[in-house]
Amino acid sequence: MPERFPIYDTDECRELGLRRMNVDSFAVLYSVNDKTDSVSIVRVFYGGRDINAILSS
């Protein structure tokens, strides 16, 4: 079920398979490991921030 959220649309996120899920005012980037049936949260951002600018720096 964690695959229901799309992979975030940046080159780095596509390469790593990072997905974005919005939770209230926050954006959560996470990855899914099918081998271990686990989810790893990579980073949590305030939704009002320019996430693309933060990720590219």
Side-chain angles (χ1 to χ4, degrees):
M1 195 91 158
E3 286 94 4
R4 71 179 171 194
F5 294 101
I7 292 179
Y8 195 59
D9 194 28
T10 65
D11 291 335
E12 296 86 8
C13 290
R14 270 187 249 116
E15 287 177 20
L16 297 172
L18 297 180
R19 297 175 179 275
R20 177 182 174 169
M21 175 178 66
N22 293 326
V23 179
D24 295 331
S25 304
F26 299 93
V28 179
L29 291 182
Y30 68 95
S31 64
V32 178
N33 187 330
D34 292 326
K35 294 179 184 175
T36 61
D37 290 331
S38 63
V39 173
S40 298
I41 296 174
V42 176
R43 185 129 184 218
V44 178
F45 296 96
Y46 175 67
R49 305 267 326 255
D50 184 359
I51 297 172
N52 290 336
I54 296 169
L55 291 175
S56 65
S57 62

